[in-house]
Amino acid sequence: MIKPASQTPLSILALADLLSEGGLPPGVVNVVTTSQSDDVMAPLILDPRSRKLSFTGSTGVGKHLLELCAKTVMRTSMELGGNAPFLVFDDADLDAAVDGAMAAKMRNIGQACTAANRILVQRGVAEEFTKRLTERMSALPMGRGVEDGVVVGPLINRAAVDKVGQLIDDAVARGATVALGGTPVDRTGYFYPASVLTDVTDDAQMCHTEIFGPVAAISTFDTEEEAVRRANDTPFGLVSYVYTENLRRGLRVCEALEAGMVGLNQGVVSNPAAPFGGIKESGLGREGGFTGIDEFLETKYIGVTL
């Protein structure tokens, strides 16, 4: 598996620890870093010895790799971008919903494919939910990740900071209101403060691209049908989140949502024993559990006459 160059330091450290413990023989895992994917991936994919590609990254790069894999009909697993909706119904446990939103939104400072990108709250509880979430977000200490107590660390680079700022400016220009943050901080490093926006319109750019930053984009809905329609109004389908105390409604909405994974009253869906992956332009195939193992196996039928 080739990870983007920005993630390789963590990958190398993890592999170094594993190798130092004697977990894998030399040569089983090889890490090659590059900023030009075709320099590395094209020769690997087109080599007749290669039988499977598992990729985690952007949808754009994933599509390009699929084109390369088509040349040899190579099996693929693609874990690509997301645009996760986080639905809060008026019968939800708001304490649990806010806890779940914090987990789904602020994991890795929002820099995660599973991060809640669009928070849709039913109108009857929208004001109270927003108040509680804003209070929680405003209390998060910001600083270098090696400092004690820090929750909001730096984003990955300057481009990421600029992107978050541009998305917020665009949303505000389209009618959104900044309830918290919304402006860059004057300090060294790639920091952006935890921010909350309300009344985010569906045509805002942040509703159509991964924010990848500590920004909670909140909008309201009136009916279950509206919530499902707006949640599904995206070419992506990695994960969705639903908060309701009505089990019938919860299961009904989970079935209707176009996503490979759904968290019902929970803000973290990742589990090594469960199949992880999306549908539509969020990818194909699964990682984790028996399903993830099957992705790397071939089915062979042998008919025998004795």
Side-chain angles (χ1 to χ4, degrees), residues 31-50:
V31 177
V32 181
T33 63
T34 179
S35 58
Q36 301 295 325
S37 61
D38 276 6
D39 290 351
V40 172
M41 294 310 303
L44 289 175
I45 290 173
L46 298 178
D47 191 297
R49 294 170 294 180
S50 297

Side-chain angles (χ1 to χ4, degrees), residues 86 92-102 132 243 245 265-267:
F86 189 100
D93 179 332
L94 287 190
D95 288 332
V98 171
D99 286 343
M102 291 295 295
R132 297 189 191 187
Y243 273 80
E245 290 293 275
N265 294 328
Q266 64 180 54

Side-chain angles (χ1 to χ4, degrees), residues 130-143:
T130 301
K131 175 184 174 183
R132 297 189 191 187
L133 183 64
T134 302
E135 290 174 349
R136 290 282 297 276
M137 296 276 280
S138 66
L140 299 178
M142 182 173 63

Side-chain angles (χ1 to χ4, degrees), residues 33-167:
T33 63
T34 179
S35 58
Q36 301 295 325
S37 61
D38 276 6
D39 290 351
V40 172
M41 294 310 303
L44 289 175
I45 290 173
L46 298 178
D47 191 297
R49 294 170 294 180
S50 297
R51 305 291 294 276
K52 166 76 178 186
L53 172 68
S54 177
F55 173 73
T56 300
S58 71
T59 297
V61 174
K63 289 180 177 180
H64 176 64
L65 295 177
L66 284 171
E67 291 177 354
L68 288 175
C69 290
K71 297 180 182 297
T72 60
V73 197
M74 182 186 294
R75 295 187 65 186
T76 61
S77 295
M78 294 280 158
E79 199 271 279
L80 307 177
N83 187 9
F86 189 100
L87 308 183
V88 181
F89 287 91
D90 55 9
D91 61 353
D93 179 332
L94 287 190
D95 288 332
V98 171
D99 286 343
M102 291 295 295
K105 175 71 262 182
M106 294 304 293
R107 183 180 185 181
N108 198 33
I109 328 167
Q111 299 173 116
C113 57
T114 55
N117 211 59
R118 298 168 291 149
I119 301 177
L120 283 69
V121 188
Q122 199 157 19
R123 195 174 303 277
V125 295
E127 182 177 352
E128 182 63 23
F129 175 87
T130 301
K131 175 184 174 183
R132 297 189 191 187
L133 183 64
T134 302
E135 290 174 349
R136 290 282 297 276
M137 296 276 280
S138 66
L140 299 178
M142 182 173 63
R144 298 178 64 223
V146 295
E147 298 173 356
D148 291 337
V150 166
V151 177
V152 182
L155 299 186
I156 192 168
N157 54 28
R158 173 53 57 186
V161 175
D162 293 341
K163 176 186 177 182
V164 169
Q166 291 166 4
L167 291 176

